[in-house]
Amino acid sequence: MKGGAQGMKISQVSLVLIGLVCLTVLALAWTKTTFLTSFSPTQSRVLQLDLEEGPKEILEGKNNSVQTGIKQVESLSSSGTEVAVEMGNTENVAITDKGENPASVPDKLLGGKSKSKQAEIALENSLTVDSSAVKEQTRNLSANTGKKESLPTVLERTGSEDSGVKDKSKQGETTRQKPLAVEPSVKREQTRNSSATSGEKDCNYAQGKWVFDDNWPLYSGYGCKQWLSPMWACRLTQRTDFEYERLRWQPRDCKMEHFTGRKFLQRMRHKTLAFVGDSLGRQQFQSLMCMVTGGEERPEVQDVGYQYGLVKARGAVRPDGWAYRFPRFNATILYYWSASLCDLEPINASNPHTDIAMHLDRPPAFLRRFLHGFDVLVLNTGHHWNRGKLNANRWVMYVGGVPNKNRKIAEIGGAKNLTVHSIVKWVDSQLPLYPHLQAFLRTMSPRHFFNGDWNTGGTCDNTTPLSGGKEVVQEKSSDPVTASAVTGTGVKLLDITALSQLRDEAHISRYSIRATPGMQDCLHWCLPGLPDTWNEILFAQISSPTKS
Ligand SMILES: *[C@@H]1O[C@H](CO)[C@@H](O)[C@H](O)[C@H]1NC(C)=O
Ligand SMILES: *[C@@H]1O[C@H](CO)[C@@H](O)[C@H](O)[C@H]1NC(C)=O
Ligand SMILES: *[C@@H]1O[C@H](CO)[C@@H](O)[C@H](O)[C@H]1NC(C)=O
């Protein structure tokens, strides 16, 4: 009997203990997030992709070199050799093998640590969801009280510079309290913004400053598996500094509408947005897919690539682009790979080793064929305009349908200038036929190789955001060739060069899983990251009521 009583006591005590533990966990979880369900994304998925997809893609890249014709040329720079080819030029393009790939490192490192890492990831996820939930609540609140947008504006502008240096782990606590604090500088900002609203039409989104914002980024770098390439998801690498994710661009003279996926889709109902350009354009495309979905899985989104001929050719690593349709809104977002923005045509189609005619003055066939169906077009080119890359791709300059003889055009700068002017002129000539079309030309995305170039040990190691300044005050674009091309046309400039120039800490840097060891990627950007800002500025401009 005595033993029985003791047994009862012990089980009672343990029941109480278990209850206490459960309560504590619940309470903790509750303070961290209003949505317990946000813990659901599982770590196993994250690691699998991290460890398997990188090396697999790289190995596939090797086979890719057996292909022929244009496909070979195009995939060369979008295959496993992408980093090398995109970043600089050319020969001896290095392909990492599995053993050297940094992506295989976590396998060993995470052996004992995976639990805490998992917790960390869950926490990160919950924080992201949490902050957006707060935003949503605030927005609803302001809608109910009839105070139009004033609260969210305050909320969105509270991320001050001082809060920027804070430890990421403390963010959970600060996010909730922040919205109440209105700093003097914030008030000034609002006054200026409201007075600028009337003159929004000619406001310059390129002028402004970077501010830290606890509500950024708009999606988690652990999520968006459906669209975000693991090679650009810096959260899946060994990188540990993520301050760069929280920087938001604040234009000086324009009120920039806060981006939400819902607003975007509503505005794009029955419409199609197309990115056409190089791998930086592809980054912007992936960024937009993640922003629109909030990084959440969307099984209902349809792959409609086949409607644009964007299907994987036999033996190719990937198609020349992707197209996705949101069925509820009948809105489509697509990307087409055209690094030079001019037409490429094999000189001898029956010869697998043929040179490719690069028709500088002729738009890509894809655009000629599908432009009529686009409502928003975002073009970009830039980093493929160098001698090494032209040679590696066997691109031969043609003008007027014949090999170019003009020496000024033969120089890379002259050729690029001619192409950029030609494509803009052509798009401009099509605008009267398609009044629904809004066309943008994005300016150059800057590279940040210090102490060398992409293939001579150049680095972008700085992890302190904005160490070179946070503000753009100049009126002129830092990319005069692109800016001059659109002058006097109906094509708009998406001018992101100067504001991106301030963000040398936001590249993939040493955490590239594609480049050879020791080589850094100071060309592409971490996602979430800078291209999100390009899209926010794009969204602000397509939302302008000058065209419907
Ligand atoms: C979807 O949008 C396209 C225009 O982009 C339009 O032609 C088509 O009729 C729409 N489909 C439906 C089902 O509304
Ligand atoms: C095209 O290439 C094929 C195969 O290499 C060759 O037989 C043919 O002569 C070439 N045609 C021209 C016009 O050069
Ligand atoms: C670029 O091309 C345009 C149009 O062909 C021309 O007017 C301009 O002078 C060129 N600029 C440079 C720097 O070559």
Side-chain angles (χ1 to χ4, degrees):
M1 286 309 260
K2 216 179 161 192
Q6 220 166 24
M8 274 293 277
K9 255 184 207 160
I10 285 169
S11 65
Q12 273 172 342
V13 166
S14 32
L15 264 177
V16 168
L17 273 176
I18 289 168
L20 271 175
V21 168
C22 286
L23 272 175
T24 317
V25 168
L26 264 175
L28 265 175
W30 193 256
T31 55
K32 292 288 178 205
T33 169
T34 48
F35 299 113
L36 289 170
T37 47
S38 62
F39 282 98
S40 57
T42 58
Q43 159 73 343
S44 57
R45 232 172 39 216
V46 174
L47 279 181
Q48 265 168 21
L49 275 164
D50 189 6
L51 299 177
E52 286 163 20
E53 255 188 47
K56 200 175 82 207
E57 272 189 84
I58 283 160
L59 289 176
E60 277 173 4
K62 277 185 178 165
N63 303 335
N64 191 37
S65 54
V66 212
Q67 286 169 56
T68 56
I70 289 206
K71 283 285 172 278
Q72 176 190 9
V73 172
E74 293 193 343
S75 354
L76 176 65
S77 26
S78 53
S79 72
T81 62
E82 181 163 32
V83 168
V85 174
E86 291 286 343
M87 284 196 299
N89 91 74
T90 85
E91 314 102 72
N92 305 330
V93 162
I95 302 174
T96 40
D97 76 36
K98 200 169 178 165
E100 294 166 337
N101 196 302
S104 57
V105 175
D107 209 3
K108 284 173 232 151
L109 283 185
L110 286 176
K113 278 198 216 158
S114 54
K115 268 240 173 84
S116 62
K117 182 101 188 186
Q118 190 169 344
E120 197 184 302
I121 287 167
L123 183 65
E124 291 294 347
N125 277 333
S126 70
L127 285 180
T128 313
V129 173
D130 186 30
S131 60
S132 61
V134 172
K135 267 188 279 187
E136 219 39 71
Q137 283 164 355
T138 320
R139 203 155 284 131
N140 294 339
L141 188 71
S142 71
N144 290 341
T145 54
K147 274 196 228 160
K148 243 169 97 195
E149 287 289 337
S150 67
L151 245 174
T153 316
V154 172
L155 175 68
E156 280 152 30
R157 299 191 189 284
T158 43
S160 69
E161 280 89 329
D162 346 354
S163 70
V165 218
K166 235 173 266 150
D167 189 333
K168 182 98 188 162
S169 61
K170 288 181 198 144
Q171 271 178 47
E173 290 124 46
T174 51
T175 315
R176 272 157 185 288
Q177 290 146 17
K178 282 240 153 151
L180 302 173
V182 182
E183 290 153 40
S185 65
V186 172
K187 276 185 188 146
R188 268 204 309 279
E189 222 86 66
Q190 282 179 311
T191 325
R192 187 154 47 162
N193 279 334
S194 55
S195 67
T197 318
S198 52
E200 228 176 292
K201 222 167 118 193
D202 28 40
C203 79
N204 183 355
Y205 289 92
Q207 288 175 307
K209 66 178 178 193
W210 287 105
V211 293
F212 282 99
D213 188 332
D214 286 342
N215 295 307
W216 274 67
L218 301 178
Y219 57 95
S220 163
Y222 296 113
C224 202
K225 300 279 184 253
Q226 235 171 323
W227 294 287
L228 180 52
S229 294
M231 62 182 171
W232 292 331
C234 291
R235 285 275 178 180
L236 303 184
T237 69
Q238 300 290 297
R239 187 163 182 154
T240 52
D241 66 294
F242 295 103
E243 283 298 293
Y244 68 86
E245 284 188 350
R246 296 197 300 116
L247 280 163
R248 180 174 58 77
W249 179 248
Q250 191 166 293
R252 195 188 68 188
D253 295 324
C254 348
K255 183 174 157 56
M256 190 153 72
E257 196 178 355
H258 181 74
F259 183 100
T260 69
R262 169 159 288 273
K263 271 196 268 180
F264 178 88
L265 288 173
Q266 278 167 350
R267 200 157 294 155
M268 291 301 294
R269 195 183 284 279
H270 302 306
K271 290 182 177 171
T272 299
L273 183 154
F275 292 102
V276 176
D278 60 23
S279 62
L280 277 308
R282 188 175 162 215
Q283 286 214 289
Q284 196 178 350
F285 161 71
Q286 292 191 2
S287 155
L288 185 61
M289 290 305 295
C290 296
M291 288 167 75
V292 170
T293 58
E296 306 289 324
E297 219 157 292
R298 291 291 176 88
E300 80 275 15
V301 172
Q302 300 161 336
D303 181 344
V304 291
Y306 65 93
Q307 290 179 9
Y308 300 90
L310 302 176
V311 289
K312 210 171 83 146
R314 215 156 48 93
V317 174
R318 59 176 67 124
D320 292 333
W322 294 266
Y324 295 103
R325 180 172 174 272
F326 292 80
R328 263 191 59 211
F329 293 88
N330 188 23
T332 301
I333 302 175
L334 71 86
Y335 163 76
Y336 177 74
W337 192 86
S338 170
S340 61
L341 290 186
C342 59
D343 202 24
L344 298 173
E345 193 180 50
I347 292 169
N348 180 347
S350 55
N351 179 357
H353 304 293
T354 186
D355 286 347
I356 311 292
M358 181 191 199
H359 295 282
L360 301 178
D361 52 352
R362 196 191 284 174
F366 178 86
L367 271 183
R368 295 200 305 265
R369 184 161 166 212
F370 294 110
L371 186 79
H372 66 90
F374 298 160
D375 299 277
V376 180
L377 173 66
V378 184
L379 301 166
N380 94 280
T381 186
H383 296 286
H384 281 254
W385 291 97
N386 62 65
R387 190 67 62 188
K389 223 166 276 182
L390 260 57
N391 292 342
N393 286 320
R394 311 177 71 108
W395 288 347
V396 180
M397 296 178 189
Y398 273 56
V399 178
V402 296
N404 173 53
K405 295 267 160 32
N406 183 324
R407 278 175 55 198
K408 202 175 164 212
I409 291 171
E411 283 165 29
I412 294 289
K416 181 189 166 193
N417 184 56
L418 173 62
T419 295
V420 171
H421 275 83
S422 299
I423 186 88
V424 168
K425 206 170 139 194
W426 177 75
V427 172
D428 189 46
S429 75
Q430 304 295 299
L431 289 176
L433 305 176
Y434 313 117
H436 57 274
L437 175 64
Q438 292 188 75
F440 296 86
L441 179 61
R442 208 200 70 217
T443 61
M444 279 276 272
S445 166
R447 307 162 7 128
H448 289 95
F449 290 97
F450 297 104
N451 305 312
D453 207 341
W454 71 278
N455 55 353
T456 56
T459 57
C460 43
D461 280 334
N462 174 36
T463 56
T464 311
L466 311 178
S467 44
K470 62 173 184 184
E471 213 166 346
V472 173
V473 291
Q474 70 200 39
E475 253 163 57
K476 287 228 162 92
S477 173
S478 289
D479 181 355
V481 170
T482 306
S484 79
V486 302
T487 305
T489 74
V491 178
K492 295 174 192 167
L493 196 67
L494 183 55
D495 188 6
I496 52 84
T497 305
L499 64 91
S500 305
Q501 195 74 51
L502 298 171
R503 300 298 309 278
D504 64 297
E505 91 293 0
H507 288 287
I508 311 281
S509 180
R510 65 173 74 240
Y511 304 101
S512 171
I513 61 172
R514 287 287 182 95
T516 43
M519 205 161 112
Q520 295 199 4
D521 183 350
C522 305
L523 170 65
H524 297 102
W525 308 93
C526 287
L527 290 178
L530 187 62
D532 304 346
T533 292
W534 304 347
N535 280 326
E536 206 191 19
I537 296 174
L538 172 68
F539 176 63
Q541 294 189 61
I542 62 179
S543 67
S544 81
T546 47
K547 262 184 189 174
S548 61

